[in-house]
Amino acid sequence: MIELKEVTKEYSKGIAALNGINLKIAQGEFVFIVGDSGSGKSTLIRLIMKELDPTSGTIVVNGQNLNRMKHRKIPMYRRGIGVVFQDFRLLKDRNIYENIAFAQRVTETSSRIIKKKVPAALSLVGLAQKYKAYPKELSGGEQQRVAIARAIVNEPAILLADEPTGNLDPTNSWEIMKLLEEANDRGTTVLVVTHNQEIVNEMKKRVVTMKKGVIVSDEKKGGYNNEN
Amino acid sequence: MKISTFGYSMKQGVKNIGRNKMFSIASVATMSACIFLFGLFYAIVINFNYIVEKAEEGVAITVFFEEDATDTQKTQIGEELAKADGVLDVNYVSAEEAWDNFQGNYFGESADLAEGFKNDNPLGNSDNYEVYMADVSKQADVVEFAESLNGVRKIRKSDVVAKTLTSVNRLVGYVSVAIVAILLAVSIFLISNTVTMGITVRREEIAIMKYIGAKDGFVRAPFVFEGLLIGIIGAVIPLVLLYFMYEKAIQYVMTKFSLLNNIIDFLPVASVYRTLLPVGIALGVGIGFVGSFFTIRKHLRV
């Protein structure tokens, strides 16, 4: 599903954010990417999103070699990936319904289907009643749930979450992780970048630990290891 | 693009104007100011051209015939002259008409002074063609051509007037091209700047669209519709304003400087707007389109 071979990314010459990474993630897996700030976690996500190109190495996602992907093909590729950010990135001037519908309009889905799918996605994240609210009227946890609804409404094969609980309290953090786990149960491959030790240790999922641009450990049912 | 997506993009374009009121007002104001200046200058130039053209039409070459020229020869000369390049009209003036005109001009109200010439036309050999020019810059060529025709004795013309009108016309042409070019450059620069400001504010929104998988066209469409709308509004406002101002200005000039009534003739507003209206709208739409289309392009590579 996701395969990185000898991937190096240098932002400026000689300084590598990622250094010869090799990583394979199978379909339906739930993977935590952990590590200190500057370890290269977010760069990894941005490379998979095709927001950045690697300096060297190969990235293959869903059978598509990203190195050879043309600019005009990127939108279609991204439609197969749902993405959740730490700062939610909702459109502040649109209500919750419009925020989620927006993800469908982008893919030129018909209005008839949008009217069915948006309430369904909102129900999945438990916000069906608040569809008229604007982002500023919601708590941080609720906003992140909207972001998840937006990420899953197109039923993507992969869900990338970059510090999804970074701005949330423990209760809300657990709710968000529960939603991501539910998406994984439905068959979506989930990749979560996080600093949250408690969650990583409790959930007993695959944990890839990064340090200074390299993978220092990759455990099947791992935990957050500070010693690395 | 699907029809529903097209409709959605249009709706978003309209909504964007409301969402970014300050930016929209700034863009419309900039566009209006530029098109207003363009319209004002166009009205001045086109009227000046019209006045010069009228003056040109009044400039005539007079072609006199040899004493022994036959009527057939005279008719032939007239036909040849009418065909010459740059000639607007050829008017035959008989010896009697020439004498009548002369009496009118020379004796004025004391027509009895001409009684002595009653049965003897002193301008008996002065029947002629008045040749009116459509383009005074070709006068020298026409004179040369007329001189080469059989049966032509003499040609009277005013080189100074022709030359002055030609050079004034040329100067107005150059100045108008230069000012229109400057105005266009300034307005595209200003619109592009204001659109950049608007896009900077919405950079995050564009980035979100791109992350979700929006195609460039989908991201661009609402901005382009917005640019087009701003362009149309920015063109209509100054055009309406100029329409009323033009009539008032002409009325003012004509009443304040009544002396000009006999010398200058201004174009009616309908004639000015026959060109200014489509050009002004096209300019607004064009600047709105160019400003938004090309400015957003560099923000699409996310």
Side-chain angles (χ1 to χ4, degrees), chain A residues 125-194:
Chain A
V125 298
L127 285 173
Q129 305 301 317
K130 295 202 172 179
Y131 70 97
K132 275 186 179 168
Y134 281 81
K136 64 175 181 210
E137 295 163 2
L138 301 179
S139 69
E142 286 173 325
Q143 288 189 53
Q144 195 60 297
R145 281 197 268 159
V146 174
I148 291 175
R150 184 181 64 189
I152 60 173
V153 72
N154 288 330
E155 296 166 14
I158 300 168
L159 188 57
L160 302 178
D162 192 0
E163 300 279 7
T165 59
N167 286 347
L168 305 178
D169 59 42
T171 315
N172 276 310
S173 296
W174 275 111
E175 278 181 15
I176 294 304
M177 293 317 297
K178 212 179 115 203
L179 289 172
L180 294 177
E181 201 171 20
E182 282 171 9
N184 181 237
D185 291 343
R186 289 191 295 270
T188 307
T189 306
V190 179
L191 199 63
V192 182
V193 167
T194 186

Side-chain angles (χ1 to χ4, degrees), chain A:
Chain A
M1 170 124 288
I2 301 173
E3 191 174 4
L4 287 88
K5 285 183 205 160
E6 293 297 327
V7 172
T8 294
K9 175 66 190 174
E10 291 177 358
Y11 287 108
S12 54
K13 208 154 177 73
I15 303 164
L18 288 184
N19 203 348
I21 293 274
N22 286 296
L23 181 66
K24 221 172 187 175
I25 297 168
Q27 190 174 348
E29 265 196 285
F30 191 115
V31 183
F32 282 117
I33 312 279
V34 301
D36 296 334
S37 298
S39 59
K41 310 183 299 288
S42 295
T43 300
L44 183 67
I45 294 281
R46 291 174 75 190
L47 284 168
I48 295 172
M49 283 295 296
K50 181 76 180 156
E51 190 187 338
L52 297 173
D53 289 321
T55 311
S56 63
T58 315
I59 304 172
V60 179
V61 180
N62 285 335
Q64 299 178 81
N65 187 335
L66 300 196
N67 300 51
R68 290 194 213 127
M69 189 175 279
K70 295 216 167 87
H71 177 75
R72 64 189 163 83
K73 297 268 184 196
I74 298 174
M76 293 309 287
Y77 163 71
R78 285 186 182 157
R79 289 175 194 183
I81 300 175
V83 59
V84 179
F85 301 97
Q86 179 176 357
D87 54 357
F88 326 129
R89 299 206 189 167
L90 300 175
L91 300 171
K92 294 173 186 72
D93 52 7
R94 288 171 220 199
N95 66 25
I96 300 317
Y97 182 94
E98 286 167 347
N99 260 283
I100 298 165
F102 180 69
Q104 296 231 283
R105 294 201 200 281
V106 160
T107 58
E108 302 196 35
T109 308
S110 73
S111 299
R112 191 174 51 84
I113 294 173
I114 292 175
K115 278 178 192 156
K116 266 190 200 168
K117 287 212 166 179
V118 175
L122 276 169
S123 295
L124 278 176
V125 298
L127 285 173
Q129 305 301 317
K130 295 202 172 179
Y131 70 97
K132 275 186 179 168
Y134 281 81
K136 64 175 181 210
E137 295 163 2
L138 301 179
S139 69
E142 286 173 325
Q143 288 189 53
Q144 195 60 297
R145 281 197 268 159
V146 174
I148 291 175
R150 184 181 64 189
I152 60 173
V153 72
N154 288 330
E155 296 166 14
I158 300 168
L159 188 57
L160 302 178
D162 192 0
E163 300 279 7
T165 59
N167 286 347
L168 305 178
D169 59 42
T171 315
N172 276 310
S173 296
W174 275 111
E175 278 181 15
I176 294 304
M177 293 317 297
K178 212 179 115 203
L179 289 172
L180 294 177
E181 201 171 20
E182 282 171 9
N184 181 237
D185 291 343
R186 289 191 295 270
T188 307
T189 306
V190 179
L191 199 63
V192 182
V193 167
T194 186
H195 270 114
N196 196 318
Q197 295 186 31
E198 190 196 336
I199 283 173
V200 174
N201 291 335
E202 285 272 328
M203 285 183 75
K204 298 275 181 253
K205 302 282 185 186
R206 179 178 169 192
V207 180
V208 174
T209 308
M210 295 183 70
K211 194 172 184 180
K212 292 180 180 165
V214 292
I215 293 173
V216 291
S217 75
D218 185 351
E219 296 172 292
K220 259 256 176 291
K221 286 188 176 177
Y224 202 110
N225 191 347
N226 279 326
E227 285 165 24
N228 287 316

Side-chain angles (χ1 to χ4, degrees), chain B residues 55-270:
Chain B
E56 279 181 357
E57 282 171 16
V59 176
I61 305 166
T62 316
V63 178
F64 295 96
F65 312 110
E66 299 276 9
E67 267 180 52
D68 54 355
T70 62
D71 284 349
T72 325
Q73 250 181 330
K74 287 177 188 174
T75 314
Q76 210 170 358
I77 291 169
E79 283 169 0
E80 293 285 340
L81 286 171
K83 276 189 273 177
D85 191 22
V87 169
L88 178 74
D89 196 17
V90 176
N91 182 29
Y92 177 74
V93 180
S94 65
E96 289 72 33
E97 282 169 330
W99 174 231
D100 284 346
N101 288 342
F102 182 82
Q103 283 183 82
N105 290 337
Y106 194 78
F107 298 111
E109 285 174 9
S110 327
D112 48 326
L113 290 174
E115 279 296 305
F117 298 104
K118 205 170 182 183
N119 295 317
D120 179 23
N121 183 352
L123 300 180
N125 197 24
S126 290
D127 58 337
N128 60 69
Y129 279 122
E130 283 175 355
V131 182
Y132 293 94
M133 299 301 297
D135 180 0
V136 266
S137 66
K138 304 231 166 79
Q139 181 175 294
D141 296 338
V142 174
V143 168
E144 202 183 313
F145 173 67
E147 279 169 346
S148 70
L149 294 172
N150 272 338
V152 170
R153 168 170 56 97
K154 190 176 98 176
I155 288 162
R156 208 171 60 203
K157 81 259 181 198
S158 169
D159 280 340
V160 181
V161 176
K163 274 184 186 157
T164 312
L165 284 175
T166 306
S167 49
V168 165
N169 227 357
R170 198 172 296 157
L171 182 73
V172 170
Y174 288 149
V175 170
S176 52
V177 166
I179 292 189
V180 166
I182 291 168
L183 277 177
L184 269 180
V186 168
S187 44
I188 287 180
F189 173 74
L190 290 175
I191 294 302
S192 171
N193 258 3
T194 28
V195 170
T196 303
M197 265 165 53
I199 287 172
T200 309
V201 172
R202 280 179 283 172
R203 196 182 282 158
E204 196 186 332
E205 184 182 331
I206 294 171
I208 295 169
M209 287 191 200
K210 295 291 289 177
Y211 280 130
I212 292 172
K215 287 183 187 167
D216 289 354
F218 184 88
V219 179
R220 190 187 276 144
F223 285 97
V224 173
F225 278 123
E226 188 184 342
L228 289 177
L229 268 177
I230 285 175
I232 291 169
I233 298 168
V236 167
I237 292 172
L239 287 174
V240 170
L241 213 66
L242 269 171
Y243 185 90
F244 292 106
M245 277 180 65
Y246 183 86
E247 296 216 302
K248 290 267 176 235
I250 287 177
Q251 272 174 18
Y252 178 80
V253 171
M254 285 312 199
T255 44
K256 202 80 177 162
F257 309 99
S258 48
L259 208 83
L260 292 174
N261 280 346
N262 301 325
I263 309 166
I264 296 177
D265 195 9
F266 288 106
L267 275 168
V269 70

